[in-house]
RNA sequence: GGGAGUUUAGCUCAGCUGGGAGAGCGUCUGCCUUACAAGCAGGAUGUCAUAGGUUCGAGCCCUAUAAUUCCCACCA
């Protein structure tokens, strides 16, 4: 097949992906002859569309997976999706709203039917999008958090924890979303600072004409007040302690209690106590044996205990109640006050802390070992600083509220006997009460927090609770790649779950990456409308360009900016790869290619091979440290600057010449370097590298299963590399003269050289002549032989003279040389300064001192020659 | 309130265990040189946030300060 004359990713990306899939390259199986390398994908929500965050996350994983696969590991990248309990349910409820339906009106069974239908319809969408990106997941293992076997794992884990006393049911203050009508875990609440008020309300002391003023941000909750608390040391209230207050409006008699929890210097020093609606108040209530009066319904309206406000929405109630207080003269004042208000992370409604009976996971015993494995570095975070965030969270962790008043999710395997009230937790459906034999049994209505099943992902997807071959071979997994915003939700919970249920860590490494921001550094968001759709980028530029734009230059843990400019720069680079490869391949037509081991390599060949070899070393090391951004940069520099700008140019004199043997020689090196570079590039830009690779003469099979290049210490070629760099410096110097003197690039000129490196320059004359457009390279003993004014440049051990005749403005040339001289002078001053420093001579390493001396001599010599050249021009 | 990060060229960011400040984009000059103008060649551009300290030597280590971003907690 011909290789296309222009880079057009649409011509091959889809075709190549299909080939990979058909050949089964993505599949992994337990193989005792190989070392496994396992990554489980952070499962995207079934409601999700591929966004830049996924694109980044999956590009990172795919590049590492491909790298390891080529290195010979049995590589498993296990894909899947998350049922996303609350997010999905919100969407389905919304969709039903359009039909005029509600959850309640259709009932649980019908609702779940709709949810599964939704999953069938949209759940696969993101999978297709991941494929477009080039993700080399083992799709035969595609998992879903509500698959039967994952449900089995969930039940197993729930029952185990329950039996160990680590899951319990309790009435406690939780975060309640009145719109989603469910409890939320602490992690599911987002706080934002909002301008609000601090209402000061007067509570009368019973039978006296005295008042205690309390300050509150949520006046409507006063309807549930059962006490007022002050600090026991507070002098202002000493004489009132133990007295009774009259709760305004409700006219309930409530005690004034003393509790250390109250701060002396905030507000008025008196705090209204509402145990049903505030976590701290709840604790105070327990300490003082106070009743609990809940005044709100699940939908955020006031209940019958709110008296005349019953039925009002909580914020409406606030307004009315404050007005009433004002009228009664019981509102002392309202201060402007900013405070943090919690919002539901799915629907943004203000959450209401309220008392509710829920299921909790007892965290303390689980957190301890999870902290230890990170301390011991059995689980390693990259970058390391994220361990601090992890410790901080783990050590201050509160019990995890896991029940949700939703329908879409893993139903809690708890059963209640309606006759005797027995609670039974079981993996199997319970039909008969184990205590009283009653058959009036019903299952708990609630489902589990989505993250409860996500926490099991690394082992539930491999067969847990059964001890399968997969689990034995691929678990613990090797690497988890995720953004930092999900450490608490997911990473932490996987670690303690893995330890508790499998007795092992779930993964060895955690690579944390940042968020993708827009060109101005803002978070991409729907509301700002500044998001860029990765699918559009793929459509316009191809998946390779998208991947490269995301990967090039990223650093672990740091956010990255994404812009059209960046995309175009990356496209240009990939286009460069395309064209350079095309150049090499076109020249190969009808030519014999040899293995480089059969060639007698010259210094330019050895230079590029050693540069390739160095690049292999650096890129491999970078990848092992998950420094993908550095690896990309390293490779780009090598490919563009060294291979394209120099080696390909150096090959042209032979490619355009008549010597067939030389052509074969240079083509063989070109092919060798190209082939290996493509392999190095493949993890990041898999499609184009595959497309080109398949066109390389003599190549069989796919690049994605080819062997990754290995560093070889024998290929260093220091001497030849130095020679090559010297020749390059000569060429650059001549180009510089031409640019400085306005000598047209098309104009051929003569070059006269005084040098101590004559033999090397003779061998290299073909390169110098071609790359600097020199008519003829002439060697002379000294400038005097030329007997005319010329432009000149002085290099180490070499002087170059270009007679430009009348073209030259000699005043300008003198100026130019003076500039050169200045540079050399400053170098001399620098070296002299160092060498004059006794401390430096005494304490710096000898090699450093020696090299400073060497440099000084070099520059002194150059100064002499430049000065001479200036004098001659002046004279 | 606690913690973490960032501060280097006009912009976005690299700079490994301290030993001559880098890249990409932008910009300037000259080039349609038989792979590529999505390109080639050559250039310009920096009190490495500030102030101290350690050191023969600091962008890098230490201490303070400032600006900025984020995370956690939350006092009614």
């Amino acid at each position: 097949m011909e290789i296309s004359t222009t880079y057009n990713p649409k011509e091959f990306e889809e075709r190549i992906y299909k080939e990979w899939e058909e050949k089964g390259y993505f599949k992994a199986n337990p193989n005792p002859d190989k070392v496994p390398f396992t990554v489980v994908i952070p499962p995207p929500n079934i409601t999700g569309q591929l966004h830049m965050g996924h694109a980044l996350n999956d590009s990172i994983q795919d590049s590492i997976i491909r790298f390891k696969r080529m290195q010979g590991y049995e590589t498993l990248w296990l894909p899947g999706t998350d049922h996303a309990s609350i997010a999905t349910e919100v969407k389905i409820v919304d969709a039903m709203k359009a039909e005029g339906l509600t959850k309640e009106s259709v009932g649980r069974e019908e609702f779940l039917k709709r949810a599964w239908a939704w999953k069938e319809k949209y759940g696969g969408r993101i999978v297709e999008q991941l494929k477009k990106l080039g993700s080399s997941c083992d799709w035969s293992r595609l998992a879903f958090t509500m698959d039967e076997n994952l449900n089995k794992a969930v039940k197993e884990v729930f029952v185990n924890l329950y039996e160990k006393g680590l899951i319990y049911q309790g009435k406690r203050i939780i975060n309640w979303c009145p719109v989603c009508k469910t409890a939320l875990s602490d992690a599911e609440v987002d706080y934002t600072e909002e301008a609000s008020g601090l209402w000061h309300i007067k509570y009368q002391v019973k039978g006296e004409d005295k008042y205690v003023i309390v300050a509150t941000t949520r006046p409507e909750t006063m309807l549930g007040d059962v006490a007022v608390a002050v600090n026991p040391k507070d002098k202002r209230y000493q004489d009132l302690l133990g007295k009774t207050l009259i709760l305004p409006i409700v006219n309930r008699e409530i005690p004034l209690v003393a509790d250390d929890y109250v701060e002396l210097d905030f507000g008025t020093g008196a705090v209204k106590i509402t145990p049903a609606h505030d976590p701290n108040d709840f604790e105070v209530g327990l300490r003082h044996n106070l009743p609990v009066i809940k005044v709100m319904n699940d939908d955020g309206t006031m209940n019958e205990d709110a008296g005349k406000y019953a039925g009002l929405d909580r914020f409406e109630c606030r307004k009315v109640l404050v007005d009433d207080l004002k009228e009664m003269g019981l509102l002392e004042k309202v201060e402007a006050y900013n405070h943090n208000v919690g919002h539901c992370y799915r629907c943004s409604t203000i959450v209401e802390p309220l008392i509710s009976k829920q299921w909790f996971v007892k965290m303390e015993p689980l957190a301890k070992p999870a902290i230890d494995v990170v301390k011991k570095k059995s689980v390693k975070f990259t970058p390391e600083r994220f361990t601090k965030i992890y410790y901080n969270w783990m050590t201050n962790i509160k019990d995890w509220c896991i029940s949700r008043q939703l329908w879409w999710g893993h139903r809690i395997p708890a059963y209640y006997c309606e006759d005797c009230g027995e609670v039974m937790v079981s993996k199997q459906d319970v039909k008969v009460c184990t205590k009283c034999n009653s058959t009036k049994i019903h299952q708990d209505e609630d489902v589990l927090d989505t993250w409860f099943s996500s926490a099991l992902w690394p082992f539930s997807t491999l067969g847990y609770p059964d001890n399968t071959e997969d689990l034995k071979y691929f678990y613990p997994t090797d690497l988890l790649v995720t953004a930092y915003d999900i450490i608490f939700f997911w990473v932490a919970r996987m670690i303690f779950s893995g330890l508790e249920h499998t007795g092992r860590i779930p993964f060895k490494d955690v690579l944390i990456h940042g968020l993708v921001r827009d060109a101005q550094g803002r978070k991409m968001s729907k509301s700002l409308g500044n998001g860029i759709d990765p699918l559009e980028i793929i459509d316009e530029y191809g998946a390779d360009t998208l991947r490269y734009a995301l990967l090039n230059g990223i650093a672990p843990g740091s956010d990255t900016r994404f812009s059209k400019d960046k995309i175009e720069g990356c496209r240009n680079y990939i286009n460069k790869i395309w064209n350079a490869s095309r150049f090499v391949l076109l020249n190969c037509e009808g030519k014999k290619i040899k293995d480089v081991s059969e060639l007698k390599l010259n210094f330019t060949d050895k230079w590029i091979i050693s540069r390739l070899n160095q690049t292999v070393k650096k890129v491999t090391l970078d990848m092992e440290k998950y420094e993908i951004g550095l690896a990309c940069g390293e490779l780009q520099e090598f490919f563009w600057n060294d291979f394209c700008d120099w080696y390909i140019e150096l090959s042209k004199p032979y490619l355009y010449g008549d010597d067939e043997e030389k052509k074969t020689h240079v083509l063989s090196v070109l092919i060798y370097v190209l082939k290996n570079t493509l392999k190095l590039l493949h993890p990041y830009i898999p499609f184009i590298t595959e497309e080109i690779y398949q066109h390389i003469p003599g190549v069989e099979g796919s690049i994605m299963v080819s062997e990754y290049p290995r560093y070889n210490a024998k290929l260093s070629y220091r001497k030849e590399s130095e020679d090559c760099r010297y020749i390059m410096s000569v060429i650059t110097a001549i180009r510089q003269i031409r640019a400085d003197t306005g000598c047209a690039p098309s104009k051929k000129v003569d070059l006269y050289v005084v040098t101590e490196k004559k033999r090397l320059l003779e061998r290299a004359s073909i390169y110098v002549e071609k790359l600097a457009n020199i008519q003829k390279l002439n060697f002379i003993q000294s400038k005097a032989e030329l007997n005319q004014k010329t432009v000149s440049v002085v290099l180490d051990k070499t002087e170059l003279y270009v007679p430009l005749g009348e073209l030259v403005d000699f005043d300008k040339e003198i100026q130019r040389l003076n500039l050169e001289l200045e540079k050399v002078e400053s170098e001399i001053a620098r070296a002299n300064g160092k060498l004059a420093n006794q401390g430096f001579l005494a304490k710096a390493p000898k090699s450093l001192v020696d090299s400073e001396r060497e440099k000084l001599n070099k520059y002194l010599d150059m100064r002499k020659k430049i000065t001479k050249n200036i004098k001659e021009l002046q004279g």
Side-chain angles (χ1 to χ4, degrees), chain A residues 516-621:
Chain A
V516 184
R517 297 175 175 277
D518 74 1
Q520 282 105 54
R522 299 172 304 179
K523 235 178 178 169
M524 286 188 182
S525 74
K526 273 190 196 142
S527 52
L528 271 174
N530 62 341
I532 299 177
D533 182 355
L535 297 164
E536 279 175 25
I537 300 291
I538 291 176
D539 194 47
E540 195 177 345
Y541 296 95
D544 285 331
T545 298
L546 173 66
R547 292 168 62 115
Y548 196 74
L550 287 166
L551 295 176
N552 184 29
I554 53 164
S558 304
D559 291 349
T560 175
R561 294 191 193 207
F562 194 88
S563 64
K564 268 277 160 89
D565 282 354
K566 203 176 203 171
I567 272 283
E568 298 209 332
C570 293
R571 189 266 320 264
N572 293 354
Y573 171 50
I574 290 171
N575 184 56
K576 183 80 181 176
I577 295 172
W578 183 264
N579 276 303
S581 304
R582 199 162 60 88
F583 173 79
V584 174
L585 294 179
L586 285 175
N587 277 288
C588 283
E589 268 168 34
K591 300 286 186 302
K592 220 179 121 208
I593 302 301
K594 290 186 180 171
D595 192 282
V596 283
S597 62
E598 299 171 42
L599 305 173
K600 193 172 180 304
L601 301 171
N602 82 1
F603 66 98
T604 63
D605 305 330
K606 287 184 174 175
W607 166 73
I608 196 68
I609 286 169
S610 82
R611 275 291 293 130
L612 171 67
N613 191 44
Q614 270 169 30
T615 306
V616 169
K617 186 181 182 182
K618 281 190 195 158
V619 168
T620 306
L621 282 174

